[in-house]
Amino acid sequence: MTHTHAPPAAHSASSAGSPGSPAGSGPPGGLPSPRDLGRSLTGWARRDARFDVPASLVVFLVAVPLSLGIAVASGAPVAAGLIAAAVGGILAGIVGGAPLQVSGPAAGLTVVVAEVVAEFGWEATCAITAMAGLLQLVLGATRLGRYALAISPTVVAAMLAGIGISIVLGQLNVALGSTSQPSAWANLQSIGSSLLSPDSHALLAATGVVVILLLWPRMPARVRAVPGPLVAVTLLTLMAAAWLPDAERVDLGGALLDQIGTVAMPEGTPLAVAGAVLTVALIASVESLLSAVAIDKLHDGPRARLDRELVGQGVANTASGALGGLPVTGVIVRSATNVAAGARTRASAILHGVWVLVFALLLVGLVEQIPLAALAGLLLVMGTGLVKPADVRRSRARGELWIYVATVVGVLALNLVEGVLIGLVGALLLTLWRTAQVKVDVREAGPAPDGRALWVVEVHGSVSFLALPVLARRLATVPKGQVVEVDLLVDYLDPAARDQIDDWRSRYEAQGGQVVVEHSGPAGEEAAAERAAKSRPVSPRAWLPWGAWQNGGAELGTTTPAHPLAVGVREYHRRTSASLQPVYDELRESQAPRAAFLGCVDSRLVPNQLTSSGPGDLFTIRTMGNLAPADGDDDGAVSAPVLYAVDQLGVEVVVVCGHSGCGAMTAAVASDEAAGPAAGAAGADASDPVDRWLRHAAPSVSAWRAQHPVGASAAAAGDGEVDQLAQVNVAVTLDRLREVLGAERLERVRLVGLFFRIDDGSLSVLRDDAFVDLTDAELDRLAHLAG
């Protein structure tokens, strides 16, 4: 068992309520009462403020230059980036369902926003953004947010790569002193012209930012604590003021408050406007939800509530569009920075938005000193980062490289929406093709008991009507008149496929053959309903009891019912033996088990299943009632293997596992009651081997009768007498093993007591004088072999 420590940033991350509130607190979809808000703010100030305030400042320093650069790349007023950053941080932070996610303008929307601006104009784009936010509110309120994740990862990665390449092509023009063009092809043509006569001041400013950002990760940790984008833009702004007077600067177009509310209804066909709204809403939603899922992996606080996060994004986009800002999404770069900087609650994202707002209102003159080419250099690095070689390798390994390439080409040659649609259609076609390519293995497996040949037909995967041609062709290759076993190792078998197998079976048997059909997965609606009624588990046969997958029919080629043991052995040799061959090759010369396991002989107790272990992991010792007799009483039947495991095999953990409803403990209680408390289990019949063995339970029975603390705890928990004794017996057996091992060995060996409840399949661990549930804390102690 391993234990992974999550980043300290999020150990007490709060969720959907106000700062510091527990997940989901407060009325659904509403704001907390003033009293609750006051309590939450007081608790946050006392507990989390020292983490959230510094983190918010770090995210603010990252967000400002990125927001300015994204606005420039989108063809929007520069102030629109700051408006979106402030609104996204504050409103999405308050309402959203991802506590540590930071929202604002994102590079993933630059291309689509630029297209919308070119078609409808900036003021109409603001209205489209607000309408997209309203659509997000509808999607979130109807709980459709999570379905936005039902998009091929390859298509998403290719979409981001296409956006990244578009950003790079456009910003190369700006870095050369020209302007970004509306299409990838136009940018390529413009780059060719700009290379002939580049603007040296712009080129120096962009190159300086790129060099600083590439070198920044190699700086000492203390230096890297300051965000690289902030350092690069600040240094180049200072250098430009001294040495690059002709470099074009950012133009905010006046005070921020003067640009709020510049919104106009779009002019165009309803279909074109609806398409733009849908495009912005879907891309913003998908990017936000993917970012929320990714950030969940960086901390161990409350998980993101995706539908509520979509509502938060809708509120932010509605407000951002109405105020004249860019579309807002959850941004992975800022969110990851937030977690890494130590944020604990959503207050960090909210405060970052406040700092952006203060900056935009008070420091307009400072912003207008930034060279446009410096922001272009920032975007060049950002756009390049969207093209990930790892995504290309993964798509190639999945056989989806052609989908990746088609999506990227579509985004560059057409537009973002059409490129993504090309990728989605390709992914759908690939899924249909894979469904039709069912794997059917047909082979001769030797002679059947009646002398005919035994043929095995194994069907793997999902079998639908699309796979019928392949299935029919493979079944036709089986020679007539033989004994055939058809193994359906499938996770789905639709009625059409089942009918074809049944029809083939009828025809084959009519011609003198014999067919047995077995299945490990669903085999039509009737079989699925039958399994559901019987609560049969669906898992590999190696872990299932015989009755869950054996049909109790005749052995192939005979009329004699096959014993389940024989069928099980055949199953092992057919499917399990080969897969375990590499494991046994390593274990051929020696064994090195990690633990010794003393358990009862009860057939319902399966040590390897309880510990998810395999060959070579456990040194297993089994006795009736998991008893460990005193020296001389068992000729070392228990003490000898325990000492061998510790001394010769180097085992560091010895487990004693009892279980509920133990037959040995039931007999011990009955024998004790029949003979009287004074006689204990020793009153058993000495001529019977079982009774003689059960005499070894006498110490446990005596301890239980004497109100052993473990028994008292079990009684207080509502356990019956047999289960009380079974738990006391584990504690007594552990004491016995301590005597066997001695003080010197116990310095390097840990003893663990477990109790298995057959009625619900749960395990509990002996801690002090009681068996307790295996909580995360207890699992952590077990992971570190805590005694």
Side-chain angles (χ1 to χ4, degrees), residues 58 62 208-235 378 381:
V58 172
V62 172
V209 170
V210 171
V211 170
I212 292 173
L213 290 177
L214 292 179
L215 294 178
W216 202 248
R218 303 182 182 183
M219 295 294 168
R222 290 184 178 180
V223 177
R224 293 199 311 272
V226 182
L230 178 68
V231 173
V233 173
T234 301
L235 286 179
L378 177 64
V381 176

Side-chain angles (χ1 to χ4, degrees), residues 673-728:
E673 292 175 347
D685 182 3
S687 64
D688 185 274
V690 174
D691 285 344
R692 286 202 305 273
W693 178 260
L694 290 178
R695 287 186 303 174
H696 300 311
S700 298
V701 173
S702 298
W704 170 54
R705 290 294 185 192
Q707 298 299 309
H708 192 285
V710 172
S713 298
D719 289 326
E721 290 187 343
V722 171
D723 288 354
Q724 294 174 32
L725 176 58
Q727 293 175 56
V728 170

Side-chain angles (χ1 to χ4, degrees), residues 1-5 653 750 776-787:
M1 184 184 298
T2 59
H3 180 71
T4 302
H5 293 282
V653 180
R750 300 286 183 166
D776 289 343
E778 291 300 331
L779 288 170
D780 186 49
R781 296 180 70 174
L782 279 179
H784 294 87
L785 301 180

Side-chain angles (χ1 to χ4, degrees), residues 339 423 491 661:
V339 174
D491 49 35

